[in-house]
Amino acid sequence: MPRPGGPRHRRRPRHRSAGPVRALPRPQVYDSFQAAGLTDTFRHLHPDEAAHSWFGRSGNGLRFDHLFVSTPHAERVLACDYHQEAREAELTDHAVMTLRLGLPSTPGEQGEAPAAGAG
């Protein structure tokens, strides 16, 4: 139990690393997703919006959380958003993400969005 006003005690994780982690620089990571045929759904709909899914103690935000679809399905993305309520209520330290896709109304449709009023 932490002492009042003292540092919090943190348990060490039970897992062991297989070796040093060598992360790619962030632009290369995103380029590799695109090269693999994946599209960042939030950025697809909100190309210029500054959004954050996590905030540090200093108040600086980062967009750690992403949802991807295969690039041919990117046009089916209807909505993708971050919701801060659970994070602000301190239920989690990350924002919730939601994704809404327009799916074919009948099996076998290929590449066509459902017609308005279909379904």
Side-chain angles (χ1 to χ4, degrees):
M1 182 168 210
R3 293 176 298 169
R8 287 183 140 162
H9 173 71
R10 295 181 189 246
R11 289 195 321 193
R12 295 182 64 154
R14 293 184 180 191
H15 66 279
R16 292 194 177 157
S17 175
V21 175
R22 293 189 181 111
L24 293 172
R26 207 179 300 175
Q28 288 181 3
V29 170
Y30 293 116
D31 290 347
S32 71
F33 291 147
Q34 187 175 10
L38 298 174
T39 294
D40 176 343
T41 57
F42 182 83
R43 193 54 61 215
H44 177 71
L45 294 179
H46 311 280
D48 300 317
E49 185 175 331
H52 307 292
S53 63
W54 178 88
F55 290 83
R57 289 185 182 137
S58 66
N60 293 332
L62 295 171
R63 196 166 77 94
F64 278 141
D65 303 279
H66 299 77
L67 292 169
F68 292 91
V69 296
S70 58
T71 299
H73 293 99
E75 295 307 315
R76 292 191 180 273
V77 176
L78 302 175
C80 183
D81 296 291
Y82 292 99
H83 305 276
Q84 304 294 333
E85 296 83 4
R87 185 189 59 76
E88 290 168 350
E90 298 180 358
L91 300 173
T92 178
D93 62 345
H94 288 257
V96 172
M97 283 192 83
T98 57
L99 173 65
R100 191 163 51 112
L101 297 172
L103 299 176
S105 59
T106 59
E109 282 188 55
Q110 295 189 15
E112 295 180 15

